[in-house]
Amino acid sequence: AFSDGRCETSPGPATSPRLTLQLSLVDFVRLVLGQAEGSQLFMGGKLKLQGDMMFAMQMQTFFDRDF
């Protein structure tokens, strides 16, 4: 869950997720560190999305890549 600039996780599936991302741990870390673009992972078949695609596009701005 994303709220107030924080990302929190919990075990098990969410009851009604707005968006589900399926990708490897390595690709997830590369994505949040800015070493990979979501669109490239998606087009390459390394990222699968289910749900609100517009929200998926907004998620690219959720992580501060200037650290």
Side-chain angles (χ1 to χ4, degrees):
F2 295 98
S3 179
D4 298 323
R6 296 181 50 165
C7 175
E8 295 183 18
T9 63
S10 59
T15 54
S16 58
R18 182 174 182 181
L19 177 69
T20 301
L21 295 90
Q22 184 178 356
L23 68 164
S24 72
L25 177 60
V26 170
D27 286 331
F28 176 75
V29 171
R30 290 179 59 230
L31 181 66
V32 299
L33 292 178
Q35 298 172 354
E37 291 293 328
S39 57
Q40 291 175 338
L41 292 173
F42 180 78
M43 297 301 282
K46 293 185 173 191
L47 170 63
K48 294 181 174 48
L49 303 173
Q50 189 171 31
D52 187 344
M53 298 297 178
M54 293 301 290
F55 184 66
M57 293 173 66
Q58 293 172 357
M59 284 184 66
Q60 295 183 61
T61 63
F62 284 11
F63 299 99
D64 181 9
R65 296 178 178 193
D66 298 326
F67 50 85

